[in-house]
Amino acid sequence: LIRDREVYQGYWVSGWDGFTKNIDDWRKKGLRLSRVSSCEAMPGQPSFSSRVERTYIGVFEGGDTGMPFWELDREAFAAKIAELRREGIRPTDLYAFQRDGAVIIGGTFDRGGHTDLVVEPRAAFEKIWRSRSDAGQGLIALDSFQDRGERWFAGLFEHGIGGSSLWVAEDERGFRA
């Protein structure tokens, strides 16, 4: 935990069990999970297990500790967004990956306006981004993953915050260009 300017903040990196336990522990200290990411623990490394271990990375900050964190398949995550929208709760960050033929999405939530989830292959996502940005919707969270040999994007668009920029490159060199 870091105490800065009278505000507690922290970050945590671990596997699923340790990560979800830490969410519960830090909620008791007045911290909520505000940003989240996930990746394979050792991508490209040989494994004798049929299950790929994942690492979860979270940023915690002071705030409403009652806000949910979910990791569900794509359809269930979209249904959870619709359910929580009725309570004035919206997704604020996400990660996505493919597991056993299903797209899995995890994310943080907070009170606020209308936010939409979009999960599409790269070319379709870029067209949707352009249309939504022109309509005044801002892209507030983005992740990408491989599915069936194709690059997919998962993003959250927030209504009424103005357009946003999107820069996509194949590698770091292209991103910095």
Side-chain angles (χ1 to χ4, degrees), residues 55-130:
T55 296
Y56 294 83
I57 305 155
V59 175
F60 294 78
E61 61 188 9
D64 184 348
T65 60
M67 291 295 104
F69 163 70
W70 290 98
E71 181 179 283
L72 303 164
D73 67 51
R74 177 182 173 177
E75 292 77 20
F77 195 84
K80 186 58 69 177
I81 289 172
E83 173 190 328
L84 293 172
R85 182 177 292 144
R86 292 188 289 274
E87 299 173 33
I89 298 171
R90 67 186 173 91
T92 56
D93 197 16
L94 70 109
Y95 59 85
F97 60 93
Q98 194 275 352
R99 178 176 61 206
D100 299 329
V103 174
I104 305 298
I105 301 175
T108 59
F109 291 77
D110 200 357
R111 298 213 173 273
H114 188 97
T115 303
D116 292 328
L117 171 68
V118 174
V119 181
E120 294 289 340
R122 178 181 173 173
F125 186 91
E126 288 179 11
K127 287 179 184 175
I128 291 167
W129 164 80
R130 187 173 283 97

